[in-house]
Amino acid sequence: MSHVKMRCIYIFLLVLGILCLYFGMNSLTFFEEELPVFKKISGNFLQLPEVDCRQNSPFLVLLVTSSPSQVIARMTIRQTWGREMVVQGKQIKTFFLLGATTEQHEMTAMTQEGQQHRDIIQKDFTDVYFNLTLKTMMGMEWVHYFCPQATFVMKTDSDMFVNVHYLTELLLKKNRTTRFFTGFLKMNEFPIRKKFSKWFVSKLEYPWDKYPPFCSGTGYVFSSDVASQVYNVSDSVPFIKLEDVFVGLCLEKLNIKLEELHSEQTFFPEGLSFSTCRFKKIVACHFIKPPEMLAYWHALEISLGETCPGV
Ligand SMILES: *[C@@H]1O[C@H](CO)[C@@H](O)[C@H](O)[C@H]1NC(C)=O
Ligand SMILES: *[C@@H]1O[C@H](CO)[C@@H](O)[C@H](O)[C@H]1NC(C)=O
Ligand SMILES: *[C@@H]1O[C@H](CO)[C@@H](O)[C@H](O)[C@H]1NC(C)=O
């Protein structure tokens, strides 16, 4: 009888022990998950463009995030708003930001493309959507080390239409050359906690309830000193895969406030239907495919001298 009792107590204690261990470990990992991650943003450059910013300082540098397969989008941008240009006497230069892939033929093609056009900035991180923060920070690092002489920098995407004429005009009017950051302002955004959303962010990645003010990643513009400062604070800011939020966190730490470029809306992250007169007075528009890009740019170029009624 006492044997059975002993065995019962033994099993009870064993189960209790396992339960304690289980919950103990769980709360331990739970605790660890609550701590934000800080990432050292480094890696090696695989390609650098041929440009000497000391000799020939651009007024505006456009950094376009792109992926290895988007060859046609890059070619279209080179023929349209990303062409090397002088607007109101100011030099504008466009570069593409790329990562690496394990596909050898894609890597070779990117190297050849870079040698031909001299406009590719590439590092050895894996080129995937959720490494966009690394791609953006590569751009900041590049400006910091290779082109701090530029006056302004725009970070944008390869499915964007950029009216560099109007952007230059507004930047000259604004006459701000330090600690300036503009774009489509997002002042009150919250992390999406629904697991199946493209923008799902776990509490592990971002434990706080609200995002800092940031500008839509589709296109934002800043004075070049901001690139150095953002790059400088980037490894003391919790890492988040949403690059625009990450830059917002850096700006918050630097106490750099977002500003509107113009009293009217000029950045259109949700897209905008085309008319020449409308596109004359915008800076950036999302969801533009290569054939439209060519058509819109052509329409804009031939109407440059003309004014639109009522605007
Ligand atoms: C981002 O790139 C790094 C470095 O190549 C790689 O280890 C990591 O897996 C990539 N991230 C994702 C989400 O694939
Ligand atoms: C731009 O600002 C500087 C001082 O910050 C001033 O000296 C200059 O006149 C301004 N230029 C224009 C065109 O407003
Ligand atoms: C980078 O940060 C350090 C201190 O954190 C500061 O001394 C230095 O001036 C900063 N550099 C730039 C370029 O902002």
Side-chain angles (χ1 to χ4, degrees):
M1 211 46 172
S2 69
H3 249 112
V4 176
K5 247 188 195 163
M6 286 279 277
R7 200 178 288 170
C8 276
I9 289 169
Y10 176 73
I11 290 170
F12 174 75
L13 285 177
L14 194 72
V15 168
L16 195 71
I18 289 169
L19 283 178
C20 278
L21 204 66
Y22 176 77
F23 283 111
M25 265 167 56
N26 244 20
S27 68
L28 194 70
T29 55
F30 182 73
F31 174 72
E32 277 177 353
E33 279 175 7
E34 286 293 282
L35 296 173
V37 179
F38 295 82
K39 244 191 227 175
K40 182 96 194 120
I41 292 158
S42 51
N44 303 309
F45 282 104
L46 298 177
Q47 284 197 69
L48 289 166
E50 198 176 70
V51 59
D52 187 348
C53 290
R54 272 170 308 178
Q55 282 228 322
N56 214 345
S57 316
F59 174 72
L60 174 63
V61 162
L62 302 164
L63 299 177
V64 186
T65 52
S66 178
S67 58
S69 63
Q70 292 172 327
V71 183
I72 293 171
R74 286 194 291 280
M75 286 314 294
T76 308
I77 291 169
R78 287 185 187 108
Q79 289 165 36
T80 56
W81 53 264
R83 208 171 58 210
E84 193 165 329
M85 258 186 300
V86 176
V87 176
Q88 300 191 23
K90 304 290 180 187
Q91 204 196 4
I92 300 170
K93 278 188 160 286
T94 299
F95 303 103
F96 296 96
L97 307 176
L98 285 155
T101 79
T102 49
E103 296 290 325
Q104 203 46 56
H105 69 275
E106 272 183 335
M107 289 299 278
T108 311
M110 274 188 281
T111 307
Q112 284 170 351
E113 189 182 330
Q115 281 166 352
Q116 189 183 347
H117 299 283
R118 301 283 176 196
D119 60 0
I120 287 179
I121 302 169
Q122 185 188 25
K123 263 194 171 188
D124 57 3
F125 61 83
T126 312
D127 197 306
V128 287
Y129 183 75
F130 283 135
N131 263 341
L132 216 46
T133 299
L134 295 182
K135 200 174 268 183
T136 299
M137 292 316 298
M138 169 176 76
M140 299 288 182
E141 182 179 354
W142 183 80
V143 172
H144 173 69
Y145 286 118
F146 299 98
C147 204
Q149 297 85 0
T151 313
F152 295 102
V153 179
M154 177 178 196
K155 200 243 48 165
T156 189
D157 235 318
S158 45
D159 59 350
M160 295 291 292
F161 183 90
V162 180
N163 183 344
V164 285
H165 298 282
Y166 196 49
L167 174 57
T168 305
E169 184 184 322
L170 292 179
L171 287 174
L172 286 170
K173 255 192 211 147
K174 199 84 187 173
N175 195 22
R176 283 280 315 277
T177 49
T178 57
R179 293 175 66 81
F180 178 66
F181 200 100
T182 192
F184 184 84
L185 275 55
K186 294 186 167 229
M187 305 302 285
N188 281 295
E189 298 285 323
F190 302 89
I192 293 169
R193 304 294 192 194
K194 287 186 214 115
K195 277 230 158 84
F196 299 105
S197 165
K198 185 181 179 187
W199 291 281
F200 165 73
V201 168
S202 67
K203 290 217 165 183
L204 178 161
E205 192 177 357
Y206 192 84
W208 303 284
D209 289 331
K210 193 172 183 291
Y211 284 143
F214 65 97
C215 284
S216 162
T218 52
Y220 49 80
V221 183
F222 46 95
S223 54
S224 68
D225 62 313
V226 173
S228 294
Q229 294 182 50
V230 165
Y231 175 64
N232 201 12
V233 295
S234 62
D235 52 9
S236 55
V237 165
F239 190 88
I240 177 164
K241 62 180 179 286
L242 305 176
E243 62 90 13
D244 44 11
V245 176
F246 182 77
V247 172
L249 287 169
C250 294
L251 296 175
E252 185 174 58
K253 182 147 190 167
L254 293 162
N255 198 25
I256 294 174
K257 301 275 182 273
L258 310 182
E259 294 172 51
E260 293 286 0
L261 183 57
H262 190 48
S263 53
E264 313 261 310
Q265 183 179 355
T266 54
F267 292 87
F268 291 86
E270 304 299 336
L272 180 70
S273 63
F274 180 81
S275 90
T276 307
C277 283
R278 198 176 281 155
F279 270 48
K280 267 171 160 328
K281 297 286 173 193
I282 70 159
V283 167
C285 180
H286 196 194
F287 304 123
I288 310 290
K289 295 189 183 76
E292 296 153 9
M293 196 101 84
L294 290 168
Y296 298 174
W297 182 253
H298 182 65
L300 203 67
E301 289 270 89
I302 59 172
S303 76
L304 269 184
E306 298 161 19
T307 49
C308 289
V311 277

Coordinates of all heavy atoms in Angstrom, one line a residue, residues 78-150:
R78 N 16.5 54.9 -66.3 CA 17.6 55.5 -66.9 C 17.3 56.3 -68.1 O 18.0 57.3 -68.5 CB 18.6 54.4 -67.3 CG 19.4 53.8 -66.2 CD 20.5 52.8 -66.7 NE 21.1 52.1 -65.6 CZ 20.9 50.8 -65.4 NH1 20.1 50.1 -66.2 NH2 21.5 50.2 -64.3
Q79 N 16.2 56.0 -68.8 CA 15.7 56.7 -69.9 C 14.8 57.9 -69.6 O 14.5 58.7 -70.4 CB 15.0 55.8 -70.9 CG 15.8 54.8 -71.6 CD 14.9 53.7 -72.2 OE1 13.8 54.0 -72.7 NE2 15.4 52.5 -72.2
T80 N 14.3 57.9 -68.4 CA 13.3 58.9 -68.0 C 13.8 59.8 -66.9 O 14.9 60.4 -67.0 CB 11.9 58.2 -67.6 OG1 12.2 57.3 -66.6 CG2 11.4 57.5 -68.8
W81 N 13.2 59.7 -65.7 CA 13.6 60.7 -64.6 C 14.9 60.4 -64.0 O 15.5 61.2 -63.3 CB 12.5 60.7 -63.5 CG 12.1 59.4 -63.0 CD1 11.0 58.6 -63.3 CD2 12.7 58.7 -61.9 NE1 10.9 57.5 -62.6 CE2 11.9 57.5 -61.7 CE3 13.8 58.9 -61.0 CZ2 12.2 56.6 -60.7 CZ3 14.1 58.0 -60.1 CH2 13.3 56.8 -59.9
G82 N 15.5 59.2 -64.3 CA 16.8 58.9 -63.7 C 18.0 59.2 -64.6 O 19.1 58.8 -64.3
R83 N 17.7 59.8 -65.8 CA 18.7 60.2 -66.7 C 19.6 61.2 -66.0 O 19.1 62.0 -65.2 CB 18.1 60.8 -67.9 CG 18.8 60.6 -69.2 CD 18.0 61.1 -70.3 NE 17.5 62.5 -70.2 CZ 16.4 63.0 -70.6 NH1 15.5 62.2 -71.2 NH2 16.1 64.2 -70.4
E84 N 20.9 61.2 -66.3 CA 21.8 62.2 -65.7 C 21.3 63.6 -66.3 O 21.1 63.7 -67.5 CB 23.2 62.0 -66.1 CG 24.1 62.9 -65.2 CD 25.6 62.5 -65.2 OE1 25.8 61.3 -65.4 OE2 26.4 63.4 -65.1
M85 N 21.0 64.5 -65.4 CA 20.3 65.7 -65.8 C 20.8 66.9 -65.1 O 21.3 66.9 -64.0 CB 18.8 65.6 -65.5 CG 18.0 65.2 -66.7 SD 16.3 65.3 -66.3 CE 16.2 64.1 -65.0
V86 N 20.6 68.1 -65.7 CA 20.9 69.4 -65.1 C 19.5 70.1 -65.1 O 19.0 70.3 -66.2 CB 22.0 70.2 -65.8 CG1 22.1 71.5 -65.2 CG2 23.3 69.4 -65.8
V87 N 19.0 70.4 -63.9 CA 17.7 71.1 -63.8 C 18.0 72.4 -63.1 O 18.6 72.4 -62.0 CB 16.7 70.3 -63.0 CG1 15.4 71.1 -62.8 CG2 16.4 69.0 -63.7
Q88 N 17.6 73.5 -63.7 CA 17.9 74.9 -63.2 C 19.3 75.0 -62.8 O 19.6 75.5 -61.7 CB 16.9 75.2 -62.0 CG 15.5 75.1 -62.4 CD 14.5 75.7 -61.3 OE1 14.9 76.5 -60.5 NE2 13.3 75.2 -61.4
G89 N 20.2 74.5 -63.6 CA 21.7 74.6 -63.3 C 22.2 73.6 -62.3 O 23.3 73.7 -61.9
K90 N 21.3 72.8 -61.8 CA 21.7 71.8 -60.7 C 21.8 70.4 -61.2 O 20.9 69.9 -61.9 CB 20.6 71.9 -59.6 CG 20.3 73.2 -59.0 CD 21.5 73.7 -58.2 CE 21.2 75.1 -57.6 NZ 22.4 75.6 -57.0
Q91 N 22.9 69.8 -60.8 CA 23.1 68.4 -61.3 C 22.4 67.4 -60.5 O 22.4 67.4 -59.2 CB 24.6 68.1 -61.2 CG 25.0 67.0 -62.2 CD 26.4 66.5 -61.9 OE1 27.0 66.8 -61.0 NE2 26.7 65.5 -62.8
I92 N 21.8 66.4 -61.2 CA 21.0 65.4 -60.6 C 21.5 64.0 -61.0 O 21.7 63.8 -62.2 CB 19.5 65.5 -60.9 CG1 19.0 66.9 -60.4 CG2 18.7 64.4 -60.3 CD1 17.6 67.2 -60.8
K93 N 21.7 63.1 -60.1 CA 22.3 61.8 -60.4 C 21.5 60.7 -59.8 O 21.1 60.8 -58.6 CB 23.8 61.7 -59.9 CG 24.7 62.4 -60.9 CD 26.1 62.1 -60.5 CE 27.1 62.2 -61.6 NZ 27.1 61.1 -62.6
T94 N 21.3 59.6 -60.5 CA 20.5 58.5 -60.0 C 21.4 57.2 -59.9 O 22.2 56.9 -60.7 CB 19.4 58.2 -61.0 OG1 18.6 59.4 -61.0 CG2 18.5 57.0 -60.5
F95 N 21.2 56.5 -58.7 CA 21.9 55.3 -58.5 C 20.9 54.2 -58.0 O 19.9 54.5 -57.4 CB 23.0 55.4 -57.4 CG 24.0 56.5 -57.8 CD1 24.0 57.8 -57.2 CD2 25.0 56.3 -58.8 CE1 24.9 58.7 -57.6 CE2 25.9 57.2 -59.1 CZ 25.8 58.5 -58.5
F96 N 21.2 53.0 -58.3 CA 20.3 51.9 -57.9 C 21.0 51.1 -56.7 O 22.2 50.8 -56.7 CB 20.1 50.9 -59.1 CG 19.3 51.6 -60.2 CD1 20.0 52.2 -61.3 CD2 18.0 51.8 -60.1 CE1 19.3 52.8 -62.3 CE2 17.3 52.4 -61.1 CZ 18.0 53.0 -62.2
L97 N 20.1 50.7 -55.8 CA 20.6 50.0 -54.6 C 20.2 48.5 -54.8 O 19.0 48.2 -55.0 CB 19.9 50.5 -53.3 CG 20.1 52.0 -53.1 CD1 19.3 52.4 -51.8 CD2 21.6 52.4 -52.9
L98 N 21.2 47.6 -54.7 CA 20.9 46.2 -54.9 C 21.6 45.3 -53.9 O 22.7 45.7 -53.4 CB 21.4 45.8 -56.3 CG 20.4 46.2 -57.5 CD1 21.2 46.3 -58.8 CD2 19.3 45.3 -57.6
G99 N 21.1 44.2 -53.6 CA 21.7 43.2 -52.7 C 22.3 42.1 -53.6 O 22.5 42.2 -54.8
A100 N 22.5 40.9 -52.9 CA 23.1 39.8 -53.7 C 22.1 38.6 -53.7 O 21.2 38.5 -52.9 CB 24.3 39.3 -52.9
T101 N 22.3 37.7 -54.7 CA 21.5 36.5 -54.8 C 22.4 35.3 -54.9 O 23.6 35.5 -55.2 CB 20.5 36.5 -56.0 OG1 21.2 36.2 -57.1 CG2 19.8 37.8 -56.2
T102 N 21.8 34.1 -54.7 CA 22.6 32.9 -54.9 C 22.6 32.5 -56.3 O 23.4 31.5 -56.7 CB 22.1 31.8 -54.0 OG1 20.7 31.7 -54.2 CG2 22.4 32.1 -52.5
E103 N 21.8 33.1 -57.2 CA 21.8 32.8 -58.6 C 23.0 33.4 -59.3 O 23.1 34.6 -59.4 CB 20.5 33.3 -59.2 CG 19.2 32.7 -58.7 CD 19.0 31.3 -59.2 OE1 19.4 31.0 -60.3 OE2 18.5 30.5 -58.4
Q104 N 23.9 32.5 -59.7 CA 25.1 33.0 -60.3 C 24.9 33.9 -61.5 O 25.5 34.9 -61.7 CB 26.1 31.9 -60.6 CG 27.6 32.3 -60.7 CD 28.0 33.2 -59.5 OE1 27.8 32.9 -58.3 NE2 28.5 34.4 -59.8
H105 N 23.9 33.5 -62.4 CA 23.7 34.2 -63.6 C 23.1 35.6 -63.3 O 23.5 36.6 -64.0 CB 22.7 33.5 -64.6 CG 21.3 33.3 -64.1 ND1 20.9 32.4 -63.2 CD2 20.3 34.1 -64.3 CE1 19.6 32.5 -63.0 NE2 19.2 33.6 -63.6
E106 N 22.4 35.8 -62.2 CA 21.8 37.1 -61.9 C 23.0 38.0 -61.3 O 23.0 39.2 -61.6 CB 20.8 37.0 -60.8 CG 19.4 36.8 -61.4 CD 18.3 36.7 -60.3 OE1 18.6 36.4 -59.1 OE2 17.1 37.0 -60.6
M107 N 23.9 37.4 -60.6 CA 25.0 38.1 -60.0 C 25.9 38.6 -61.2 O 26.3 39.8 -61.2 CB 25.8 37.3 -59.1 CG 25.1 37.0 -57.8 SD 24.8 38.5 -56.8 CE 26.4 38.7 -56.0
T108 N 26.1 37.8 -62.2 CA 27.0 38.1 -63.3 C 26.3 39.3 -64.1 O 26.9 40.2 -64.5 CB 27.2 36.9 -64.2 OG1 27.6 35.8 -63.4 CG2 28.2 37.2 -65.3
A109 N 25.0 39.1 -64.3 CA 24.2 40.1 -65.1 C 24.3 41.5 -64.4 O 24.5 42.5 -65.0 CB 22.8 39.7 -65.2
M110 N 24.2 41.5 -63.0 CA 24.2 42.7 -62.3 C 25.6 43.4 -62.4 O 25.7 44.6 -62.5 CB 23.9 42.5 -60.8 CG 22.4 42.5 -60.5 SD 22.1 42.4 -58.7 CE 22.3 40.7 -58.4
T111 N 26.6 42.5 -62.3 CA 28.0 43.1 -62.5 C 28.2 43.7 -63.8 O 28.7 44.8 -63.9 CB 29.0 42.0 -62.3 OG1 28.7 41.3 -61.0 CG2 30.4 42.5 -62.2
Q112 N 27.7 43.0 -64.9 CA 27.8 43.6 -66.2 C 27.0 44.9 -66.4 O 27.5 45.9 -66.9 CB 27.4 42.6 -67.3 CG 28.4 41.5 -67.5 CD 27.9 40.3 -68.3 OE1 26.7 40.2 -68.6 NE2 28.8 39.4 -68.6
E113 N 25.8 44.9 -65.8 CA 25.0 46.1 -65.9 C 25.7 47.2 -65.2 O 25.7 48.4 -65.7 CB 23.6 45.8 -65.2 CG 22.6 46.8 -65.4 CD 21.3 46.5 -64.7 OE1 20.9 45.3 -64.5 OE2 20.6 47.5 -64.2
G114 N 26.3 46.9 -64.0 CA 27.0 48.0 -63.3 C 28.2 48.5 -64.0 O 28.4 49.7 -64.0
Q115 N 28.9 47.6 -64.7 CA 30.1 48.0 -65.5 C 29.7 48.9 -66.6 O 30.4 49.9 -67.0 CB 30.9 46.8 -66.0 CG 31.7 46.2 -64.9 CD 32.3 44.9 -65.2 OE1 31.9 44.3 -66.2 NE2 33.2 44.3 -64.4
Q116 N 28.5 48.6 -67.2 CA 28.0 49.3 -68.4 C 27.5 50.7 -68.0 O 27.8 51.7 -68.6 CB 26.9 48.6 -69.1 CG 26.5 49.2 -70.4 CD 25.3 48.4 -71.0 OE1 25.0 47.3 -70.6 NE2 24.7 49.1 -72.0
H117 N 26.7 50.8 -66.9 CA 26.1 52.1 -66.6 C 26.7 52.8 -65.4 O 26.4 54.0 -65.2 CB 24.6 51.8 -66.2 CG 23.8 51.3 -67.4 ND1 23.4 52.0 -68.5 CD2 23.5 50.0 -67.7 CE1 22.8 51.3 -69.3 NE2 22.8 50.0 -68.9
R118 N 27.6 52.2 -64.6 CA 28.3 52.8 -63.5 C 27.3 53.5 -62.5 O 27.6 54.5 -62.0 CB 29.3 53.8 -64.1 CG 30.3 53.3 -65.0 CD 31.4 52.6 -64.2 NE 32.3 51.9 -65.1 CZ 33.2 51.0 -64.7 NH1 33.2 50.6 -63.4 NH2 34.0 50.4 -65.5
D119 N 26.2 52.8 -62.3 CA 25.2 53.5 -61.4 C 24.6 52.5 -60.4 O 23.5 52.7 -59.9 CB 24.1 54.1 -62.3 CG 23.3 53.1 -63.1 OD1 23.7 51.9 -63.1 OD2 22.4 53.5 -63.8
I120 N 25.4 51.4 -60.1 CA 24.9 50.4 -59.2 C 25.7 50.4 -57.9 O 26.9 50.4 -57.9 CB 24.8 49.0 -59.8 CG1 23.7 49.0 -60.8 CG2 24.6 47.9 -58.7 CD1 23.6 47.6 -61.5
I121 N 24.9 50.5 -56.8 CA 25.5 50.3 -55.4 C 25.0 49.0 -54.9 O 23.8 48.8 -54.8 CB 25.1 51.5 -54.5 CG1 25.5 52.9 -55.1 CG2 25.7 51.3 -53.1 CD1 24.9 54.0 -54.3
Q122 N 26.0 48.1 -54.6 CA 25.6 46.7 -54.3 C 26.4 46.2 -53.1 O 27.6 46.4 -53.0 CB 25.7 45.8 -55.5 CG 25.2 44.4 -55.2 CD 25.6 43.4 -56.4 OE1 26.6 43.7 -57.1 NE2 24.8 42.4 -56.5
K123 N 25.7 45.5 -52.2 CA 26.4 44.9 -51.0 C 26.0 43.4 -51.0 O 25.2 42.9 -51.8 CB 25.9 45.5 -49.7 CG 26.9 46.6 -49.2 CD 26.6 46.9 -47.8 CE 27.6 47.8 -47.2 NZ 27.4 48.0 -45.7
D124 N 26.7 42.7 -50.1 CA 26.5 41.2 -50.1 C 25.4 40.7 -49.2 O 25.4 39.5 -49.0 CB 27.9 40.6 -49.8 CG 28.4 41.0 -48.4 OD1 27.7 41.8 -47.8 OD2 29.5 40.6 -48.1
F125 N 24.5 41.5 -48.8 CA 23.3 41.0 -48.1 C 22.3 40.3 -49.1 O 22.3 40.7 -50.2 CB 22.6 42.0 -47.2 CG 22.1 43.2 -48.0 CD1 20.8 43.1 -48.7 CD2 22.8 44.3 -48.2 CE1 20.3 44.1 -49.4 CE2 22.3 45.4 -49.0 CZ 21.1 45.3 -49.6
T126 N 21.5 39.4 -48.6 CA 20.6 38.7 -49.5 C 19.5 39.7 -49.9 O 18.8 40.4 -49.1 CB 19.9 37.5 -48.8 OG1 20.9 36.8 -48.1 CG2 19.1 36.6 -49.7
D127 N 19.3 39.8 -51.2 CA 18.3 40.7 -51.8 C 16.9 40.1 -51.7 O 16.4 39.5 -52.6 CB 18.6 41.0 -53.3 CG 17.9 42.3 -53.7 OD1 16.7 42.3 -53.6 OD2 18.6 43.2 -54.2
V128 N 16.2 40.4 -50.5 CA 14.8 40.0 -50.3 C 14.1 41.1 -49.8 O 14.7 42.1 -49.2 CB 14.7 38.8 -49.4 CG1 15.2 37.5 -50.0 CG2 15.5 39.0 -48.1
Y129 N 12.8 41.1 -50.0 CA 11.9 42.2 -49.5 C 12.2 42.6 -48.1 O 12.3 43.8 -47.8 CB 10.4 41.9 -49.7 CG 9.5 43.0 -49.4 CD1 9.4 44.1 -50.3 CD2 8.8 43.1 -48.2 CE1 8.6 45.2 -49.9 CE2 8.0 44.1 -47.9 CZ 7.9 45.2 -48.8 OH 7.1 46.3 -48.4
F130 N 12.3 41.6 -47.2 CA 12.5 41.9 -45.8 C 13.9 42.3 -45.4 O 14.2 42.4 -44.3 CB 11.9 40.8 -44.9 CG 10.4 40.9 -44.9 CD1 9.6 39.7 -45.0 CD2 9.7 42.1 -44.7 CE1 8.2 39.8 -44.9 CE2 8.4 42.2 -44.7 CZ 7.6 41.0 -44.8
N131 N 14.7 42.5 -46.4 CA 16.1 43.1 -46.1 C 16.1 44.6 -46.7 O 17.2 45.1 -46.8 CB 17.2 42.3 -46.8 CG 17.8 41.3 -45.7 OD1 17.7 41.6 -44.5 ND2 18.5 40.3 -46.2
L132 N 15.0 45.2 -46.8 CA 14.9 46.5 -47.4 C 15.6 47.5 -46.4 O 16.1 48.5 -46.9 CB 13.4 46.9 -47.6 CG 13.1 47.8 -48.8 CD1 13.8 47.3 -50.0 CD2 11.6 47.9 -49.0
T133 N 15.5 47.3 -45.1 CA 16.2 48.1 -44.2 C 17.7 48.1 -44.4 O 18.3 49.2 -44.4 CB 15.9 47.7 -42.7 OG1 14.4 47.8 -42.5 CG2 16.6 48.6 -41.7
L134 N 18.2 47.0 -44.7 CA 19.7 46.9 -45.0 C 20.0 47.6 -46.3 O 21.0 48.3 -46.4 CB 20.1 45.4 -45.1 CG 20.0 44.5 -43.9 CD1 20.5 43.1 -44.2 CD2 20.8 45.2 -42.7
K135 N 19.1 47.5 -47.3 CA 19.3 48.2 -48.5 C 19.3 49.7 -48.4 O 20.2 50.4 -48.9 CB 18.2 47.8 -49.5 CG 18.6 48.0 -51.0 CD 17.5 47.4 -51.9 CE 17.8 46.0 -52.3 NZ 16.8 45.4 -53.2
T136 N 18.3 50.2 -47.6 CA 18.3 51.6 -47.4 C 19.5 52.1 -46.6 O 20.1 53.2 -46.9 CB 17.0 52.0 -46.6 OG1 15.9 51.6 -47.3 CG2 16.9 53.4 -46.2
M137 N 19.9 51.3 -45.6 CA 21.0 51.8 -44.8 C 22.3 51.7 -45.6 O 23.2 52.5 -45.4 CB 21.2 50.9 -43.5 CG 20.1 51.2 -42.5 SD 19.7 52.9 -42.3 CE 21.3 53.5 -41.7
M138 N 22.4 50.8 -46.6 CA 23.5 50.8 -47.5 C 23.6 52.2 -48.3 O 24.7 52.7 -48.5 CB 23.4 49.7 -48.5 CG 24.4 49.7 -49.7 SD 24.2 48.3 -50.8 CE 22.8 48.7 -51.7
G139 N 22.4 52.7 -48.7 CA 22.4 54.0 -49.3 C 22.9 55.1 -48.4 O 23.6 55.9 -48.8
M140 N 22.4 55.1 -47.2 CA 22.9 56.1 -46.2 C 24.4 56.0 -46.0 O 25.1 57.0 -46.0 CB 22.2 55.8 -44.8 CG 20.7 55.9 -44.8 SD 20.1 57.6 -45.1 CE 18.3 57.4 -45.0
E141 N 24.9 54.8 -45.9 CA 26.3 54.6 -45.7 C 27.1 55.1 -46.9 O 28.1 55.7 -46.8 CB 26.6 53.1 -45.5 CG 28.0 52.8 -45.2 CD 28.3 51.3 -45.0 OE1 27.3 50.5 -44.9 OE2 29.5 50.9 -44.9
W142 N 26.6 54.8 -48.1 CA 27.2 55.2 -49.3 C 27.3 56.8 -49.4 O 28.4 57.3 -49.7 CB 26.5 54.7 -50.6 CG 27.3 55.1 -51.8 CD1 28.4 54.5 -52.3 CD2 27.0 56.2 -52.6 NE1 28.8 55.2 -53.4 CE2 27.9 56.2 -53.6 CE3 26.0 57.2 -52.6 CZ2 27.9 57.2 -54.6 CZ3 26.0 58.1 -53.6 CH2 26.9 58.1 -54.6
V143 N 26.2 57.4 -49.1 CA 26.2 58.9 -49.1 C 27.3 59.4 -48.0 O 28.1 60.3 -48.3 CB 24.8 59.5 -48.7 CG1 24.9 61.0 -48.6 CG2 23.8 59.1 -49.9
H144 N 27.2 58.8 -46.9 CA 28.2 59.2 -45.8 C 29.6 59.1 -46.2 O 30.4 60.0 -46.0 CB 27.9 58.4 -44.5 CG 28.9 58.6 -43.4 ND1 29.0 59.8 -42.7 CD2 29.9 57.8 -42.9 CE1 29.9 59.7 -41.8 NE2 30.5 58.5 -42.0
Y145 N 30.0 58.0 -46.8 CA 31.4 57.8 -47.2 C 31.8 58.3 -48.6 O 32.9 58.8 -48.8 CB 31.8 56.3 -47.1 CG 31.9 55.7 -45.7 CD1 31.0 54.7 -45.3 CD2 32.9 56.2 -44.9 CE1 31.2 54.2 -44.0 CE2 33.0 55.8 -43.6 CZ 32.1 54.8 -43.1 OH 32.3 54.3 -41.9
F146 N 30.9 58.3 -49.5 CA 31.3 58.6 -50.9 C 30.7 59.8 -51.5 O 31.2 60.3 -52.5 CB 30.9 57.4 -51.8 CG 31.7 56.1 -51.4 CD1 31.1 55.1 -50.7 CD2 33.0 55.9 -51.8 CE1 31.7 54.0 -50.3 CE2 33.7 54.8 -51.5 CZ 33.1 53.8 -50.7
C147 N 29.6 60.4 -50.9 CA 29.0 61.5 -51.5 C 28.4 62.5 -50.5 O 27.3 63.0 -50.8 CB 28.0 61.1 -52.6 SG 27.7 62.3 -53.9
P148 N 29.1 62.8 -49.5 CA 28.5 63.8 -48.5 C 28.4 65.2 -49.1 O 27.7 66.1 -48.5 CB 29.5 63.8 -47.3 CG 30.8 63.3 -47.9 CD 30.4 62.4 -49.0
Q149 N 29.0 65.4 -50.3 CA 29.0 66.7 -50.9 C 27.7 67.0 -51.6 O 27.4 68.2 -52.0 CB 30.1 66.8 -51.9 CG 31.5 66.8 -51.3 CD 32.0 65.3 -51.2 OE1 31.3 64.3 -51.5 NE2 33.2 65.2 -50.6
A150 N 26.9 66.0 -51.8 CA 25.5 66.2 -52.4 C 24.7 67.1 -51.5 O 24.9 67.1 -50.2 CB 24.8 64.9 -52.6

